[in-house]
Amino acid sequence: MEALPDVAVLATRLKNTLIQYHNLEDEKWRVAKKTKEVTIWRKPSEEFNGYLFKAQGVIDDVANSVIDHIRPGPCRLDWDSLMASLDILEHFEENCCVMRYTTAGQLWNIISPREFVDFSYTVDYKEGLLSCGISLDWSEKRSEFVRGYNHPCGWFCVPLKESPGRSLLTGYIQTELRGMIPQSAVDTAMASTLINFYGDLQRALKKA
């Protein structure tokens, strides 16, 4: 087992960072892409030389079910087309773990497969849930993958007041793919990737 930072401290710091993003004023964000169902905004990240993306859309299901499909676990692999494998490396409590996941090659393999090792934490937020994560500097590496890095990211899911069986899902993502790919190419692809994420998630929930 690798030496981890204090889990409670890391979880609290991560949650507070995500709430800080969630409370940013609207004028800080610029629209990157919009469809009828989903809007994607972005702003320069304070963590690295790339963008922090914000995604928001309504999902036709209750918050618990939505987050169960997003958080680390077997549900995620069933529907997330970007994810090729997912393993839980350390389990602390029901809502807290270290996971390793790999992504398939993208853009006709211009972006080669990536591996991430993330600390993941799910906690109550208002009437719904927040599932958040951050990459760890995990020493064990596999040569066939480039190790990517997720700066603080997460998903807030709360019931719609006027329709409690539906949920407002808001995500914050800032991914550094590393390797040879320029960050600008990642940023260009990210908005479309996030819109597809909502569509895939909604289809999976309808089947569930």
Side-chain angles (χ1 to χ4, degrees):
M1 178 174 169
E2 303 218 6
L4 286 169
D6 184 297
V7 170
V9 171
L10 182 59
T12 302
R13 192 187 308 140
L14 181 59
K15 179 184 79 170
N16 290 343
T17 300
L18 266 296
I19 290 170
Q20 189 184 325
Y21 295 159
H22 206 41
N23 290 335
L24 284 169
E25 301 90 350
D26 289 348
E27 59 265 24
K28 301 269 189 198
W29 300 98
R30 283 183 49 208
V31 172
K33 194 157 186 158
K34 191 169 186 174
T35 67
K36 202 170 78 170
E37 290 83 19
V38 184
T39 304
I40 313 294
W41 298 265
R42 71 181 196 179
K43 69 178 284 297
S45 171
E46 292 175 12
E47 301 285 341
F48 77 119
N49 186 28
Y51 285 95
L52 168 62
F53 285 85
K54 173 182 178 179
Q56 190 169 74
V58 173
I59 299 285
D60 293 328
D61 212 324
V62 295
N64 277 0
S65 188
V66 175
I67 291 295
D68 273 348
H69 276 68
I70 292 176
R71 67 197 293 179
C75 277
R76 184 71 184 263
L77 269 180
D78 284 346
W79 66 269
D80 190 338
S81 56
L82 282 182
M83 213 172 258
S85 71
L86 189 158
D87 299 296
I88 306 294
L89 301 179
E90 306 280 355
H91 225 294
F92 303 107
E93 297 165 29
E94 193 186 338
N95 62 342
C96 213
C97 69
V98 174
M99 66 166 175
R100 175 169 56 204
Y101 70 93
T102 60
T103 61
Q106 297 169 57
L107 298 175
W108 303 282
N109 255 7
I110 293 168
I111 301 177
S112 61
R114 291 298 194 271
E115 175 185 71
F116 296 83
V117 177
D118 285 8
F119 172 78
S120 175
Y121 176 53
T122 302
V123 64
D124 290 340
Y125 176 79
K126 297 193 172 173
E127 298 84 34
L129 292 160
L130 162 63
S131 186
C132 48
I134 185 171
S135 285
L136 300 171
D137 292 318
W138 199 260
S139 59
E140 182 204 330
K141 288 187 168 71
R142 296 185 288 185
S143 58
E144 65 268 35
F145 295 102
V146 175
R147 174 69 61 80
Y149 194 92
N150 286 314
H151 296 277
C153 56
W155 296 92
F156 291 86
C157 192
V158 294
L160 283 182
K161 286 188 172 58
E162 65 275 17
S163 180
R166 303 169 80 211
S167 303
L168 182 67
L169 181 65
T170 309
Y172 298 90
I173 305 293
Q174 45 190 343
T175 298
E176 199 174 347
L177 286 184
R178 297 181 171 171
M180 300 299 288
I181 190 92
Q183 187 60 39
S184 57
V186 179
D187 292 335
T188 301
M190 185 60 81
S192 296
T193 300
L194 285 167
I195 282 171
N196 291 341
F197 179 93
Y198 275 78
D200 291 346
L201 174 59
Q202 185 65 81
R203 279 189 288 278
L205 285 160
K206 279 185 176 156
K207 285 184 197 164

